[in-house]
Amino acid sequence: MDGCGLDIPEPSRLLDEETVVFAAALIDRSAAADQAEAALARRTGRRRSLPVRAVLAALLLLAMDDRPLHLTRVTELLFRRLSPASRALLGITGTAPDRRAFLAAYRRVRYCFHLICSAGDPSPLPKNRCLTPQDLTAASRPMAPEEATAARGRLEIFINALIEASVSVLSSSERAAFDGCTGLDATAVPLFSRGPSRRTGLSASDPDGGWYVREGDHRDTEDHTGKRRTRISWALEATIATMAQAPGPVPGHPNLALGLALTRPGEDPGGTGTRVLASVTTRGHKPGPLGADRAYTAARPGSFHLPVRALGYSPVMDYRIDQLGIQANSGGALLVEGTWYCPAMPAPLIEATTGYRARQISRELYDARITARSPYHLKRKDGPDYDGYQRLSCPATGSHPALICPLREASLTPRDGRAKILDAPADPPRICRQSAITIAPDVGARHRQDLPFASPAWQDSYATMRNTIEGLNGYVKDPAHEALAQPARRRVRGIAACALFTALLLMAANLRKIRAYRAMTAESRASNTTRRKRRRRVRLSDYQPDA
């Protein structure tokens, strides 16, 4: 969908009919209201008088205006503050002039909102009560694992449809400028609930959450020594994929949130990230380089690295201290920090990152050793093919060998400044005997990446994508705007409600980014067109001699 002609209303215009039309149009574009209505349709019983579309549009209006997402605010907006034309557009009947009418309208809003959440709630746990473990188990509704998985799928389709509606506001030229560079990260979404009490033994009033910590995998409340970690909050974890820019060129589009999923902290980050990226590609966004932090480097290859590559993404990752150096071996080729190298590469080059992080070598020496790895990099001969298999050859082969190796006679001349193998293997492996070897996609899958680790190209790409996703996390948590980190601004408990609120706040953040980007672009164009022409005080034609 092309956003040309769909102007974003300015802030502080919550009650303008133009803003209401815009919010309703976005909800219609997402088809989320129709999806929810179909899931909630019943053949018997009294017809529900409040449409899902009206509740979603009202929540989006509040998010766009930097207001708390309280259901009382939704009720006041729909039944007291909107104009008759706006209420008619949203299908609202009646008003709430007094307290009794307001409470009746509030019950309608609350009932409709909880119906929306129930259609995709993957949690069987009761909310709003602090129970003992036995009572919590007894009050939980029965739900098979496959039912929870299906509900989670419906919830993620629903929230990502809302986010896609905000992305659809981009014009065709802005969408075309996106080359697939993507940032992926998880961030805490604090809940309006305290955690379980050790003193009383009671559960949290929102048991869908978990303890979130900054260190480790975001769920371990104690470190390896048994010491309690700091910066703990009772929260859910939002995995967000965002647009990013390739290093260098002038931005051609704003960096918007593309996908979202919510889970307990540290619950299968690799699988969650894969679901988010699969949703992004399913909606037509092209894959490209993928910036991900060490939490995803440590994920299981079968749940993250291989599925991500199958989707078309090229991971750009960092490594923990215990993942450095030689990571895999295939046919004698060494996988060193994500890249396949000659088996005769010197040990100081293999251990460069380990030495640098241990402060045994300087930054200048480290950069020099990373650069010195280049001649030992295996040559890509063919692939990867459709199945992910790749053919690589020795760097001392070909018409322009990068190394001088005694095992490759053609590389011995001319004697120039190329790196020379001084200690060739006594029992040459296949990479030294064959013209090329074939490496399967699952060999070293957890650590492989296309850019040589710590090279200038890797550093530029990784820093750009990581800064983008971290910037978005801070952007949507700004207390002056969406305030995602302020749980008191969204008080309905449960993972389904939190996911819906988070998606609406990301929609508002996307719209704010698009508005700011277009204003910046228009200002830049105006400054270029209004620049005064340089005045020429002297002309050579004034000195033309008479004929």
Side-chain angles (χ1 to χ4, degrees):
M1 291 179 289
D2 190 352
C4 288
L6 191 58
D7 296 328
I8 303 175
E10 293 296 325
S12 301
R13 293 174 57 182
L14 176 64
L15 303 180
D16 286 3
E17 293 185 6
E18 177 189 354
T19 308
V20 178
V21 170
F22 175 81
L26 280 193
I27 298 301
D28 291 341
R29 283 190 175 203
S30 70
D34 296 338
Q35 174 187 335
E37 292 285 5
L40 300 176
R42 298 292 183 269
R43 301 179 64 180
T44 59
R46 187 172 63 179
R47 181 184 178 189
R48 182 167 30 85
S49 60
L50 183 63
V52 171
R53 176 172 177 259
V55 175
L56 293 179
L59 285 168
L60 179 58
L61 286 168
L62 293 173
M64 290 171 58
D65 202 51
D66 304 330
R67 310 277 182 116
L69 303 185
H70 296 168
L71 297 186
T72 52
R73 298 286 185 101
V74 173
T75 307
E76 182 180 2
L77 180 63
L78 292 178
F79 292 93
R80 282 186 173 177
R81 303 188 63 189
L82 292 184
S83 66
S86 296
R87 286 202 300 272
L89 174 66
L90 297 178
I92 302 299
T93 57
T95 59
D98 54 26
R99 176 172 174 76
R100 183 176 180 180
F102 182 85
L103 291 177
Y106 172 67
R107 284 194 294 270
R108 293 165 60 188
V109 170
R110 186 177 61 183
Y111 177 74
C112 182
F113 181 83
H114 285 290
L115 276 181
I116 297 171
C117 294
S118 66
D121 190 356
S123 170
L125 302 175
K127 283 76 175 175
N128 303 315
R129 290 182 290 170
C130 296
L131 305 174
T132 63
Q134 296 80 8
D135 293 339
L136 181 68
T137 302
S140 301
R141 58 190 175 93
M143 176 178 281
E146 56 271 15
E147 293 177 341
T149 301
R152 184 189 65 190
R154 291 193 297 271
L155 177 62
E156 292 179 359
I157 291 173
F158 185 81
I159 61 177
N160 283 295
L162 291 172
I163 293 175
E164 183 63 26
S166 65
V167 178
S168 72
V169 176
L170 292 175
S171 66
S172 56
S173 60
E174 290 167 341
R175 288 182 68 98
F178 176 54
D179 62 357
C181 287
T182 306
L184 181 69
D185 194 25
T187 188
V189 181
L191 297 175
F192 189 65
S193 168
R194 294 180 180 179
S197 173
R198 286 187 175 184
R199 181 178 60 83
T200 63
L202 298 179
S203 69
S205 58
D206 191 348
D208 289 349
W211 291 116
Y212 185 94
V213 294
R214 295 283 299 181
E215 298 87 358
D217 62 359
H218 305 313
R219 61 180 173 180
D220 296 327
T221 58
E222 296 179 350
D223 61 15
H224 64 285
T225 64
K227 183 179 179 181
R228 188 169 177 82
R229 297 186 188 272
T230 57
R231 301 186 188 178
I232 298 177
S233 62
W234 188 251
L236 288 169
E237 189 172 66
T239 300
I240 304 173
T242 181
M243 293 178 172
Q245 304 278 351
V250 177
H253 61 83
N255 294 324
L256 308 182
L258 292 176
L260 169 69
L262 262 74
T263 60
R264 279 195 173 98
E267 184 180 89
D268 190 19
T272 306
T274 298
R275 294 200 309 273
V276 173
L277 295 173
S279 172
V280 171
T281 55
T282 301
R283 287 180 272 124
H285 298 283
K286 66 177 71 171
L290 174 68
D293 64 10
R294 297 175 188 176
Y296 299 98
T297 308
R300 296 188 303 272
S303 66
F304 181 72
H305 304 87
L306 291 172
V308 161
R309 286 190 176 273
L311 290 171
Y313 289 95
S314 174
V316 182
M317 309 174 296
D318 195 8
Y319 302 110
R320 300 192 313 249
I321 188 66
D322 60 339
Q323 296 175 319
L324 301 175
I326 299 176
Q327 299 160 329
N329 184 306
S330 180
L334 303 180
L335 184 68
V336 178
E337 293 165 6
T339 303
W340 292 104
Y341 289 100
C342 167
M345 187 166 73
L349 303 187
I350 295 176
E351 301 167 357
T353 307
T354 303
Y356 175 68
R357 291 193 182 177
R359 300 184 179 180
Q360 297 172 354
I361 61 175
S362 65
R363 179 71 198 195
E364 292 75 15
L365 181 56
Y366 175 60
D367 291 340
R369 289 184 176 179
I370 292 296
T371 303
R373 287 177 176 180
S374 179
Y376 299 90
H377 188 184
L378 297 191
K379 296 180 178 180
R380 187 174 71 88
K381 192 168 185 179
D382 191 19
D385 59 15
Y386 180 79
D387 294 324
Y389 285 79
Q390 189 173 19
R391 296 275 289 171
L392 300 175
S393 62
C394 169
T397 59
S399 57
H400 299 285
L403 287 174
I404 297 177
C405 179
L407 300 179
R408 301 288 185 178
E409 186 175 351
S411 70
L412 300 179
T413 55
R415 299 282 182 171
D416 50 18
R418 289 174 294 152
K420 183 178 180 181
I421 301 297
L422 300 176
D423 189 15
D427 185 14
R430 286 191 297 116
I431 187 63
C432 299
R433 292 183 281 106
Q434 299 178 181
S435 60
I437 61 171
T438 302
I439 299 181
D442 60 340
V443 178
R446 172 175 287 167
H447 305 106
R448 286 168 68 172
Q449 51 185 320
D450 296 335
L451 294 176
F453 180 73
S455 65
W458 180 92
Q459 293 181 30
D460 290 344
S461 183
Y462 183 77
T464 299
M465 290 184 285
R466 289 294 303 144
N467 289 342
T468 298
I469 182 60
E470 293 292 354
L472 177 69
N473 292 342
Y475 191 85
V476 76
K477 290 182 178 181
D478 185 351
H481 295 284
E482 291 77 26
L484 181 61
Q486 307 296 324
R489 292 169 60 94
R490 34 179 181 79
R491 301 189 176 190
V492 184
R493 298 183 175 100
I495 186 172
C498 187
L500 177 54
F501 288 143
T502 305
L504 290 165
L505 293 175
L506 285 177
M507 287 182 73
N510 281 351
L511 297 174
R512 189 157 61 95
K513 275 179 168 284
I514 295 172
R515 187 192 301 114
Y517 171 80
R518 289 177 177 173
M520 179 189 67
T521 304
E523 182 179 351
S524 176
R525 290 173 179 169
S527 63
N528 290 335
T529 56
T530 60
R531 186 178 300 167
R532 190 174 67 175
K533 187 176 181 180
R534 184 169 60 91
R535 181 180 298 174
R536 296 183 176 182
R537 298 179 179 178
V538 178
R539 298 181 180 180
L540 192 61
S541 59
D542 294 340
Y543 294 88
Q544 182 71 29
D546 296 334

